[in-house]
């Protein structure tokens, strides 16, 4: 009976994970990783939070010494919505087995069709052929995702159904592929124009992307940035992994755009020297997930690895602990998840869920009470080792919180490990007696 119930849970999860749109979303969002990680480094240099250091450097290089660094930020992190729009449509088409480049190009065109083609400054008249760059980054990212998915799907269907302009075989493939995109391009541009007209009428002069931001993105950012959102992210990563589904990949595919938008808003507050919760700073950002909720891997299994190394009676777990220790330093714990195993193991379900949930509460509370500043600066790869990542994204306070989480992991996993180790040890003794 338990097996049947498990399959009922796994089936819809796997259906969702393998949807074309979800795969395209996950793959497409990976394309902006270099922009967010490296771009944030330049932002930190351009917004050094120590006034004395800023003044000393300004005396040497001039008052505008930060401008080149902010220019890099402006061309990387600040355009992540624009790039994700291209990358998602590209990934959708590529995964469907059709020529992907036209899909990305058409998606970018649709994105610009759905933006205003003029910019109205706070004071003054509209400037023609100017676009507010704010919609290229975090504020426009949900609209960009929707455009990328829809354009990728429409383009792919036209190509797969051969509703295209066919060129003679003598025409070079590079040219022929572009002619194939003509009919889907016409349909996509026409639909984009119609959506632009409708959105302008509904919003009283606004755009589709602005409407999506107000109606969908702001509420979702508020949800993911809440305590409930933090706990939900921690819970579902481990919950899905326990069933053998790559929980981090699934959850990242859903929340990354929102967490990056939260981070982008925090960066804007940092630039204005207003990075406080009172000014609307977000607590839950991508650093919250990457640097605290998956320490040593999903489920924060560092404590389990330590228990295997120092307290194993069974040969199986002594060997596994040695093998799993090094990957755990870089937040990789597949050897533990599948080798222990944690997947479908009823003994390990509770600690595997509980530790990251408690970590989420601890990190959220640390920022809420002012012990840590809201995250805004360095965005690190999720594989950055503990303590180092904590210090870089949250100072000594961040490193301290990570230490507390790792200690918490060890304390909670230890008694559950002893139960599992006892079973494995008895099985080994039984096998030796039978062979002896």
């Amino acid at each position: 009976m338990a097996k049947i119930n498990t399959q009922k849970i796994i089936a819809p999860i796997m259906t969702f994970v393998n949807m074309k749109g979800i795969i395209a979303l996950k793959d497409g969002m990976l394309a902006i990783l270099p922009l967010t990680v490296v771009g944030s480094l330049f932002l930190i240099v351009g917004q050094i939070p120590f006034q004395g250091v800023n003044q000393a450097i300004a005396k040497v290089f001039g008052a505008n010494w930060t401008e080149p660094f902010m220019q890099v930020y402006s061309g990387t992190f600040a355009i992540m919505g624009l790039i994700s729009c291209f990358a998602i449509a590209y990934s959708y088409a590529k995964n469907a087995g059709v020529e992907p480049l036209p899909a990305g190009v058409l998606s970018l065109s649709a994105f610009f069709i759905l933006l205003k083609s003029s910019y109205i400054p706070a004071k003054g008249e509209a400037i023609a052929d100017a676009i507010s760059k704010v919609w290229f980054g975090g504020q426009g990212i949900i609209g960009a995702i929707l455009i990328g998915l829809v354009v990728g799907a429409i383009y792919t269907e036209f190509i797969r159904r051969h509703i295209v302009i066919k060129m003679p075989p003598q025409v070079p493939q590079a040219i022929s592929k572009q002619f194939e995109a003509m009919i889907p391009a016409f349909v996509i541009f026409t639909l984009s124009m119609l959506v632009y007209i409708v959105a302008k009428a509904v919003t009283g002069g606004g755009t589709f992307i602005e409407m999506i931001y107000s109606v969908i993105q702001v509420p979702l950012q508020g949800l993911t940035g809440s305590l409930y959102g933090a706990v939900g992210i921690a819970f579902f990563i481990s919950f899905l992994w326990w069933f053998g589904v790559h929980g981090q990949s699934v959850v990242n595919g859903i929340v990354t755009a929102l967490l990056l938008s939260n981070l982008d808003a925090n960066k804007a507050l940092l630039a204005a020297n207003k990075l406080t919760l009172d000014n609307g700073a977000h607590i839950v950002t991508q650093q919250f997930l990457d640097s605290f909720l998956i320490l040593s891997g999903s489920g924060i299994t560092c404590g389990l690895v330590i228990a295997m190394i120092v307290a194993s009676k069974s040969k199986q777990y002594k060997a596994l602990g040695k093998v799993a220790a090094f990957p755990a330093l870089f937040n990789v714990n597949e050897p533990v998840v599948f080798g222990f195993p944690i997947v479908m193991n009823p003994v390990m379900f509770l600690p595997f869920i509980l530790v990251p949930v408690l970590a989420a509460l601890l990190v959220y509370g640390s920022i809420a009470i002012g012990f840590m500043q809201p995250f805004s600066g360095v965005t690190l790869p999720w594989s950055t080792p503990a303590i180092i990542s904590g210090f870089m994204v949250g100072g000594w306070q961040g490193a301290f919180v990570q230490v507390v989480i790792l200690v918490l992991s060890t304390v909670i996993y230890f008694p559950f490990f002893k139960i599992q180790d006892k079973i494995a040890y008895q099985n080994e003794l039984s096998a030796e007696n039978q062979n002896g």
Side-chain angles (χ1 to χ4, degrees), residues 389-410:
S389 62
F391 181 78
M392 293 187 70
V393 303
W396 70 266
Q397 297 95 330
F400 176 79
V401 170
Q402 285 187 333
V403 170
V404 174
I405 291 172
L406 296 177
V407 171
L408 187 69
S409 170
T410 304

Side-chain angles (χ1 to χ4, degrees), residues 5 19 30 43 55 83 141 156 179 194 211-212 226 300 303 327 344 390 395 400 417:
N5 291 337
M19 289 175 61
L30 285 175
L43 175 66
Q55 292 174 351
I83 301 302
I141 197 166
T156 297
F179 271 90
L194 294 175
M211 183 174 67
I212 292 299
S226 68
I300 312 181
M344 308 295 279
F400 176 79
F417 164 74

Side-chain angles (χ1 to χ4, degrees), residues 251-274:
V251 173
N252 266 339
I254 297 171
V255 305
T256 291
L258 297 169
L259 297 185
L260 288 174
S261 295
N262 290 349
L263 177 58
D264 192 44
N266 282 6
K267 288 178 183 292
L269 290 174
L270 175 66
N273 293 317
K274 295 180 179 180

Side-chain angles (χ1 to χ4, degrees), residues 43-359:
L43 175 66
I44 279 294
V45 177
Q47 294 290 337
I48 296 176
F50 302 106
Q51 192 61 31
V53 175
N54 279 326
Q55 292 174 351
I57 298 176
K59 289 179 180 179
V60 178
F61 296 102
N64 295 324
W65 72 270
T66 63
E67 191 269 339
F69 294 95
M70 298 307 295
Q71 186 70 7
V72 175
Y73 165 73
S74 180
T76 54
F77 202 103
I79 62 167
M80 61 181 179
L82 184 67
I83 301 302
S84 64
C85 183
F86 174 93
I88 290 169
Y90 183 98
S91 298
Y92 195 109
K94 183 179 179 181
N95 292 333
V98 301
E99 179 65 30
L101 183 58
V105 172
L106 297 180
S107 184
L108 276 184
S109 294
F111 183 83
F112 280 99
I113 291 171
L114 293 167
L115 284 172
K116 289 181 178 177
S117 56
S118 62
Y119 173 65
I120 303 177
K123 295 181 180 179
E125 298 181 355
I127 303 173
D129 297 323
I131 300 174
S132 176
K133 198 174 181 181
V134 68
W135 300 109
F136 293 178
Q139 286 190 205
I141 197 166
I142 299 300
I145 287 172
L146 294 175
I147 294 168
L149 291 174
V150 172
V151 170
I154 293 174
Y155 169 80
T156 297
E157 284 302 306
F158 271 80
I159 300 301
R160 293 180 66 178
R161 295 177 184 274
H162 304 292
I163 308 175
V164 297
I165 297 176
K166 285 287 186 180
M167 300 299 291
Q170 297 83 1
V171 177
Q173 279 291 310
I175 298 175
S176 180
K177 291 293 182 182
Q178 302 312 312
F179 271 90
E180 286 183 356
M182 297 293 182
I183 294 178
F186 178 80
V187 172
I188 290 168
F189 296 160
T190 302
L191 289 175
S192 298
M193 181 186 68
L194 294 175
V195 171
Y196 173 83
I197 294 171
V198 171
K200 187 175 181 180
V202 170
T203 61
T207 65
F208 170 77
I209 294 176
E210 292 171 340
M211 183 174 67
I212 292 299
Y213 175 73
S214 300
V215 176
I216 298 178
Q217 184 167 336
V218 171
L220 285 177
Q221 281 184 245
L223 179 61
T224 56
S226 68
L227 179 59
Y228 297 108
V231 171
I233 290 169
F235 172 83
F236 279 107
I237 289 176
S238 292
F239 180 75
L240 293 173
W241 258 124
W242 192 83
F243 287 100
V245 179
H246 199 300
Q248 183 185 347
S249 178
V250 174
V251 173
N252 266 339
I254 297 171
V255 305
T256 291
L258 297 169
L259 297 185
L260 288 174
S261 295
N262 290 349
L263 177 58
D264 192 44
N266 282 6
K267 288 178 183 292
L269 290 174
L270 175 66
N273 293 317
K274 295 180 179 180
L275 185 61
T276 65
L277 297 181
D278 291 337
N279 288 322
H282 296 276
I283 293 179
V284 186
T285 64
Q286 193 65 38
Q287 295 105 319
F288 191 105
L289 169 56
D290 290 344
S291 298
F292 292 91
L293 297 189
I294 56 170
L295 287 180
S296 71
S298 300
I300 312 181
T301 53
C302 174
L304 183 57
V305 174
I306 292 173
M308 284 190 286
I309 293 173
V310 304
S312 290
K313 288 186 176 181
S314 69
K315 297 178 181 178
Q316 171 188 346
Y317 291 138
K318 284 182 181 178
L320 180 59
K322 295 176 183 178
V323 171
F326 184 74
L329 292 175
F330 300 93
N331 305 321
V332 175
N333 68 340
E334 276 79 355
V336 177
V337 172
F338 294 106
F340 190 81
I342 288 176
V343 171
M344 308 295 279
N345 184 340
V347 174
M348 304 309 297
F349 179 81
L350 181 59
F352 193 62
I353 297 289
L354 182 60
V355 173
V357 167
L358 292 178

